[in-house]
């Protein structure tokens, strides 16, 4: 044991001396089957494929939850979101749910001397209560370890539809102050419900409030017209900011969290991608994300940084087709399977909810290949603390050091994992257990499975990756064993 500890410390020290740059490319609602290197034959993602060919492609890599806010919370803090109240899908005016000063993935890198930035979708709240968007917007990312930020507050389908850079709205005209409400509309302002004739994209469910750029959103907004983003330019805007940060930080080391919006709704890709996938705006948005990946990788190449830059690509949760807009995603889906061979998707406790594309490339250290190790984004704080020669943050309750698995030196990874979908499920090796949970089995609006069922569910993923054969009755001892293990794992662990 002592020899192993000394060896582990020696490896961590050696890696810390190298201090690779780290770039986290994070898609939004990208499914396991949405990229060609994971088996899709209906859509081509050549830049992501190239990244995978030069690195490790994980076949059992997970986000921590099947929806956006909780998965991002867990990834940054190292704590499963279900342990903290108020970590569900947030409105755009929510206060920040990670308190200032709490250790995060960003503060881990900052503690190792890295320049840190987040660009893209935030969706973890801003401010500490009643926020005046026309003044300093804080606390925010810069209060939890990021040196710089260029973000949207929540999502493209939620107001405010503006960019925030550090503590200010970008391009805000003081003579046209912005107001945001999630309670009632502003008199005289158009909405999707009242003014459908102004829409260029109609909602399928919800999303009928503030109307901006011909698209109605969730929540109400008034003013700030000069600062309103153009949806078609969003991907290019975020990518340009990411490249700008890399150029400014090329002396290294740096950590960039690039949180793309694609292929989340509303799907409004740039005209150069429209119609290219043959699958409507959702497919076109996936091509757009692939292009963003290529642009950022090309910037690393151009600056001679690729060899010693660790690039991680993943998604915040599994896929969803109709998520609130009539955008032809359902009609033009064809033979495409967004979750590939997996059951479920976004909002689901089945594997399609959290098992997502998960690729790591670090040419200086990692040999290309495929890994079946069980890894999860909740482990980033502990694993990157080890990479940079630091202790894991005490508040990262659920984060485990799986660095050997991430680097391809361990083919096992975690021994167990909690997957937060509708219910919270448990993975132990190839076994998957979902407890009996009240609630609908399928969401009417999104036509997505939740994982809810009146009785327990047990699957052997080594023989049944699609979770089609419930073994809870034929393997009662295994089901009971995992029910007890799940109850224990849900309690707060000692760190």
């Amino acid at each position: 044991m002592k020899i192993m500890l000394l060896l582990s410390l020696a490896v961590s020290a050696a890696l810390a001396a190298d201090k690779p740059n780290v770039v986290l490319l994070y898609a939004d609602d990208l499914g396991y089957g949405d990229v060609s290197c994971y088996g899709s034959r209906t859509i081509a993602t050549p830049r992501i494929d190239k990244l995978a060919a030069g690195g490790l492609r994980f076949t059992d890599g997970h986000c921590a939850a099947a929806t956006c806010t909780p998965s991002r919370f867990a990834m940054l803090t190292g704590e499963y979101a279900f342990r903290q109240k108020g970590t569900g899908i947030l409105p755009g005016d929510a206060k920040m749910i990670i308190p200032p000063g709490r250790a995060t993935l960003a503060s881990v890198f900052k503690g190792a001397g890295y320049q840190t930035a987040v660009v893209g979708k935030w969706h973890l709240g801003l401010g500490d209560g009643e926020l005046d968007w026309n003044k300093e917007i804080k606390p925010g990312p810069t209060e939890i370890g990021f040196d710089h930020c260029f973000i949207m507050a929540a999502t493209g389908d939620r107001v405010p539809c503006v960019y925030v850079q550090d503590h200010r709205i970008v391009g805000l005209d003081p003579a046209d102050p912005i107001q945001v409400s999630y309670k009632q509309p502003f008199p005289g302002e158009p909405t999707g419900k009242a003014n459908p004739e102004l829409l260029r994209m109609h909602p399928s469910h919800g999303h009928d409030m503030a109307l901006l750029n011909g698209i109605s959103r969730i929540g109400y907004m008034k003013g700030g017209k000069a600062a309103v983003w153009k949806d078609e330019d969003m991907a290019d805007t975020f990518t340009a900011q990411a490249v700008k940060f890399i150029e400014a930080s090329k002396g290294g080391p740096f950590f960039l969290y690039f949180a793309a919006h694609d292929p989340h709704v509303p799907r409004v890709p740039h005209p150069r991608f429209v119609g290219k996938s043959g699958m409507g705006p959702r497919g076109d948005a996936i091509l757009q994300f692939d292009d963003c990946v290529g642009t950022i990788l090309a910037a690393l190449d151009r600056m001679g940084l690729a060899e010693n830059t660790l690039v991680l690509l993943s998604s915040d949760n599994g896929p969803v087709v109709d998520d609130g807009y009539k955008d032809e995603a359902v009609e033009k889906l064809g033979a495409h399977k967004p979750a590939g061979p997996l059951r479920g998707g976004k909002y689901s406790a089945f594997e399609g909810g959290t098992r997502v594309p998960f690729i790591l490339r670090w040419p200086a250290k990692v040999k290309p290949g495929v890994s079946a190790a069980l890894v999860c984004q909740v482990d980033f704080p502990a694993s990157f603390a080890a990479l940079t020669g630091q202790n894991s943050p005490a508040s990262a309750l659920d984060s485990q050091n799986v660095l050997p698995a991430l680097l391809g030196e361990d083919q096992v990874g975690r021994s167990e994992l909690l997957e937060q979908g509708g219910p919270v499920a448990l993975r132990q090796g190839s076994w998957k257990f979902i407890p009996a949970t009240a609630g609908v089995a399928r969401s009417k609006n999104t036509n997505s499975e939740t994982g809810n069922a009146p009785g327990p569910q047990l699957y052997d993923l080594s023989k049944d990756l699609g979770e089609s054969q419930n073994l809870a009755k034929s393997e009662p001892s295994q089901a009971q064993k995992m029910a007890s293990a799940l109850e224990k794992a849900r309690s707060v662990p000692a760190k």
Side-chain angles (χ1 to χ4, degrees), residues 201-226:
M201 179 185 289
H202 290 259
S204 57
H205 49 87
H207 300 85
D208 62 355
M209 300 177 191
L211 201 161
L212 299 134
N213 295 336
I215 303 167
S216 50
R217 325 276 171 153
I218 299 172
Y220 303 100
M221 174 177 158
K222 179 180 180 180
K225 288 181 173 55

Side-chain angles (χ1 to χ4, degrees), residues 190-439:
T191 67
K193 185 176 183 178
N195 307 97
E197 73 281 0
L198 300 179
L199 293 171
R200 57 173 168 147
M201 179 185 289
H202 290 259
S204 57
H205 49 87
H207 300 85
D208 62 355
M209 300 177 191
L211 201 161
L212 299 134
N213 295 336
I215 303 167
S216 50
R217 325 276 171 153
I218 299 172
Y220 303 100
M221 174 177 158
K222 179 180 180 180
K225 288 181 173 55
V228 173
W229 65 52
K230 184 177 179 182
D231 296 82
E232 290 89 341
D233 294 339
M234 181 180 290
D236 287 343
T237 298
F238 285 150
T239 303
Q241 288 291 326
V243 172
K244 181 180 178 181
F245 171 73
I246 293 171
E247 290 173 341
S249 309
K250 61 184 178 182
F254 62 81
F255 167 58
L256 169 64
Y257 169 31
F258 176 75
H261 184 255
D262 292 322
H264 193 282
V265 296
R267 300 156 182 149
V268 192
H270 190 275
R272 68 182 185 274
F273 299 103
V274 173
K276 300 299 183 183
S277 70
M279 293 167 53
R282 184 176 187 274
D284 298 343
I286 292 172
L287 298 186
Q288 182 168 259
F289 174 67
D290 185 66
D291 184 75
C292 295
V293 170
T295 300
I296 293 172
L297 295 181
L300 294 174
D301 290 338
R302 184 174 69 251
M303 287 176 266
L305 301 174
E307 181 71 12
N308 199 37
T309 296
L310 190 161
V311 179
L312 250 172
L313 182 145
S314 196
S315 178
D316 67 339
N317 48 247
V320 61
V321 183
D322 178 356
D323 207 19
Y325 293 95
K326 297 176 181 178
D327 61 1
E328 301 183 299
V330 175
E331 294 84 350
K332 293 188 175 181
L333 188 63
H336 183 65
K337 296 182 178 180
L342 308 176
R343 185 177 179 181
K346 186 177 183 179
Y347 311 114
S348 176
F350 293 115
E351 285 294 284
T354 63
R355 193 187 294 213
V356 291
F358 200 117
I359 299 165
L360 187 149
R361 188 192 76 177
W362 183 11
K365 292 289 182 183
V366 176
K367 294 180 181 179
V370 178
S371 174
L374 179 61
V375 292
C376 182
Q377 296 165 14
V378 74
D379 296 321
F380 287 174
S383 301
F384 285 109
L387 176 69
T388 54
Q390 303 175 84
N391 293 323
S392 176
S395 59
L397 300 176
D398 300 294
S399 196
Q400 298 179 12
N401 177 12
V402 295
L403 185 61
L406 294 177
L407 301 183
E409 299 161 359
D410 168 29
Q411 293 293 311
V412 177
R414 274 179 161 264
S415 60
E416 67 177 35
L417 174 69
L418 296 182
E419 301 176 9
Q420 180 182 349
V424 175
L426 174 67
R427 279 284 307 279
Q428 285 185 334
S430 64
W431 288 103
K432 169 79 170 281
F433 178 78
I434 306 175
T437 313

